[in-house]
Coordinates of all heavy atoms in Angstrom, one line a residue:
T303 N 151.7 16.6 123.5 CA 150.6 15.6 123.8 C 150.8 14.9 125.2 O 150.9 13.8 125.4 CB 150.3 14.4 122.8 OG1 151.4 13.5 122.9 CG2 150.1 14.8 121.4
F304 N 150.6 15.8 126.1 CA 150.7 15.3 127.6 C 149.7 15.9 128.4 O 149.1 16.9 128.2 CB 152.1 15.8 128.2 CG 153.3 15.1 127.7 CD1 154.2 15.8 127.1 CD2 153.3 13.7 127.9 CE1 155.3 15.0 126.6 CE2 154.4 13.0 127.5 CZ 155.5 13.7 126.9
S305 N 149.3 15.3 129.5 CA 148.4 15.7 130.5 C 148.8 15.1 131.8 O 149.6 14.2 131.8 CB 147.0 15.5 130.1 OG 146.6 16.0 128.9
L306 N 148.2 15.5 132.9 CA 148.4 14.8 134.2 C 147.4 14.9 135.2 O 146.6 15.6 135.2 CB 149.7 15.3 134.8 CG 150.3 16.6 134.9 CD1 150.5 16.9 136.4 CD2 151.6 16.6 134.2
I307 N 147.5 13.8 136.0 CA 146.5 13.6 136.9 C 146.8 14.4 138.1 O 147.9 14.5 138.5 CB 146.4 12.1 137.5 CG1 146.3 11.1 136.3 CG2 145.4 11.9 138.5 CD1 146.3 9.7 136.7
L308 N 145.8 15.0 138.6 CA 145.9 15.8 139.9 C 144.9 15.4 140.9 O 143.7 15.3 140.6 CB 145.6 17.2 139.5 CG 146.7 18.3 139.7 CD1 148.0 17.9 139.6 CD2 146.6 19.5 138.9
S309 N 145.3 15.1 142.1 CA 144.5 14.8 143.1 C 144.3 15.8 144.2 O 144.1 15.5 145.3 CB 144.7 13.4 143.6 OG 146.0 13.3 144.1
A310 N 144.8 17.1 144.0 CA 144.9 17.9 145.2 C 144.9 19.3 144.7 O 145.0 19.6 143.5 CB 146.2 17.7 145.8
T311 N 144.6 20.5 145.6 CA 144.4 21.8 145.2 C 144.9 22.8 146.3 O 144.4 22.8 147.3 CB 143.0 22.3 145.0 OG1 142.5 21.4 144.0 CG2 143.0 23.6 144.6
T312 N 145.8 23.7 146.0 CA 146.2 24.8 147.1 C 147.0 25.8 146.3 O 147.9 25.4 145.5 CB 147.1 24.2 148.1 OG1 146.3 23.2 148.8 CG2 147.3 25.2 149.2
L313 N 146.8 27.0 146.6 CA 147.4 28.1 145.9 C 148.3 28.9 146.8 O 147.7 29.2 147.8 CB 146.4 29.0 145.2 CG 146.9 29.8 144.1 CD1 146.6 31.1 144.0 CD2 147.5 29.1 143.1
G314 N 149.4 29.3 146.4 CA 150.4 30.2 147.3 C 151.1 31.1 146.4 O 151.2 30.8 145.2
Y315 N 151.6 32.2 147.0 CA 152.4 33.1 146.2 C 153.8 33.1 146.8 O 154.0 33.6 147.9 CB 151.6 34.4 146.2 CG 150.5 34.3 145.3 CD1 149.3 33.6 145.6 CD2 150.4 34.9 144.1 CE1 148.3 33.5 144.8 CE2 149.5 34.7 143.1 CZ 148.4 34.1 143.6 OH 147.3 33.9 142.7
A316 N 154.8 32.8 145.9 CA 156.2 32.7 146.5 C 157.0 33.8 145.6 O 156.5 34.7 144.9 CB 156.8 31.4 146.3
D317 N 158.3 33.5 145.5 CA 159.3 34.5 144.8 C 158.9 34.2 143.3 O 158.3 33.4 142.8 CB 160.6 34.3 145.0 CG 161.1 32.8 145.0 OD1 160.9 32.4 143.8 OD2 161.7 32.3 145.8
D318 N 159.7 35.0 142.5 CA 159.5 35.1 141.0 C 159.8 33.8 140.4 O 159.5 33.5 139.1 CB 160.1 36.2 140.3 CG 159.4 37.5 140.6 OD1 158.3 37.4 141.0 OD2 160.1 38.6 140.5
S319 N 160.7 32.9 141.1 CA 161.2 31.6 140.5 C 160.2 30.6 140.5 O 160.3 29.6 140.0 CB 162.5 31.2 141.0 OG 162.3 31.0 142.4
K320 N 159.2 30.9 141.3 CA 158.2 29.8 141.6 C 156.7 30.5 141.1 O 156.6 31.7 141.0 CB 157.9 29.6 143.1 CG 159.2 28.7 143.6 CD 159.2 27.3 143.0 CE 160.3 26.6 143.7 NZ 160.4 25.2 143.1
H321 N 155.8 29.6 140.8 CA 154.5 30.0 140.3 C 153.4 29.4 141.0 O 153.5 28.4 141.8 CB 154.5 29.7 138.7 CG 155.6 30.2 137.9 ND1 155.7 31.5 137.5 CD2 156.8 29.7 137.6 CE1 156.8 31.7 136.8 NE2 157.5 30.6 137.0
T322 N 152.1 29.9 140.6 CA 150.9 29.2 141.1 C 150.0 28.9 140.0 O 150.1 29.7 138.9 CB 150.3 30.2 142.1 OG1 149.9 31.3 141.4 CG2 151.0 30.5 143.3
A323 N 149.3 27.8 140.0 CA 148.4 27.5 138.9 C 147.2 26.8 139.5 O 147.2 26.1 140.5 CB 149.1 26.6 138.0
I324 N 146.0 27.1 138.8 CA 144.8 26.5 139.0 C 144.2 25.9 137.8 O 144.1 26.5 136.8 CB 143.8 27.7 139.5 CG1 144.3 28.3 140.7 CG2 142.4 27.1 140.0 CD1 143.6 29.6 141.3
F325 N 143.7 24.7 138.0 CA 143.2 24.0 136.8 C 141.8 23.5 137.3 O 141.7 23.1 138.4 CB 144.0 22.7 136.5 CG 145.4 23.0 135.9 CD1 146.4 23.1 136.7 CD2 145.4 23.1 134.6 CE1 147.6 23.4 136.3 CE2 146.7 23.4 134.1 CZ 147.8 23.5 134.8
V326 N 140.7 23.7 136.5 CA 139.4 23.4 136.9 C 138.9 22.4 136.0 O 139.0 22.4 134.7 CB 138.4 24.7 136.8 CG1 137.0 24.3 137.2 CG2 139.0 25.8 137.7
V327 N 138.2 21.3 136.6 CA 137.6 20.2 135.8 C 136.7 20.7 134.6 O 135.9 21.6 135.0 CB 136.9 19.3 136.6 CG1 136.1 18.2 135.9 CG2 137.8 18.5 137.6
G328 N 136.8 20.2 133.5 CA 136.0 20.5 132.3 C 136.4 21.8 131.6 O 135.8 22.1 130.6
Q329 N 137.3 22.5 132.0 CA 137.9 23.7 131.4 C 139.1 23.6 130.6 O 140.0 22.8 131.1 CB 138.0 24.9 132.4 CG 136.7 25.2 133.0 CD 136.9 26.5 133.9 OE1 137.9 27.2 133.8 NE2 135.8 27.0 134.5
S330 N 139.2 24.1 129.4 CA 140.3 24.1 128.6 C 141.1 25.3 128.8 O 141.7 26.0 127.8 CB 140.0 23.9 127.1 OG 139.0 24.9 126.7
S331 N 141.3 25.9 129.9 CA 142.0 26.9 130.3 C 142.4 26.7 131.7 O 141.8 26.1 132.5 CB 141.3 28.3 130.1 OG 140.2 28.4 131.0
Y332 N 143.5 27.6 132.1 CA 144.0 27.5 133.5 C 144.5 28.8 133.8 O 144.6 29.8 133.0 CB 145.1 26.5 133.7 CG 146.4 26.7 133.0 CD1 147.6 27.3 133.6 CD2 146.6 26.6 131.7 CE1 148.8 27.5 133.1 CE2 147.8 26.7 130.9 CZ 148.8 27.3 131.8 OH 150.1 27.6 131.1
I333 N 144.7 29.0 135.2 CA 145.3 30.4 135.6 C 146.7 30.1 136.2 O 146.9 29.3 137.0 CB 144.3 31.0 136.7 CG1 143.0 31.4 136.2 CG2 144.9 32.2 137.5 CD1 142.0 31.8 137.1
Q334 N 147.6 30.9 135.7 CA 149.0 31.0 136.2 C 149.3 32.4 136.7 O 149.2 33.3 135.9 CB 149.9 30.6 135.2 CG 151.4 30.4 135.6 CD 152.4 30.5 134.6 OE1 152.3 31.3 133.6 NE2 153.5 29.8 134.8

């Protein structure tokens, strides 16, 4: 039962120890 506030957006691609994620308002899915 957690969630978090986000007030910003930017995507980049780094090494395998780091990830990228996109969350869109109103959607119950995200992209990692």
Side-chain angles (χ1 to χ4, degrees):
T303 72
F304 286 117
S305 302
L306 29 132
I307 302 175
L308 236 38
S309 59
T311 309
T312 309
L313 201 230
Y315 285 73
D317 58 47
D318 289 341
S319 65
K320 294 292 185 179
H321 306 276
T322 62
I324 302 172
F325 296 87
V326 179
V327 171
Q329 295 192 6
S330 56
S331 63
Y332 68 100
I333 294 175
Q334 180 199 40

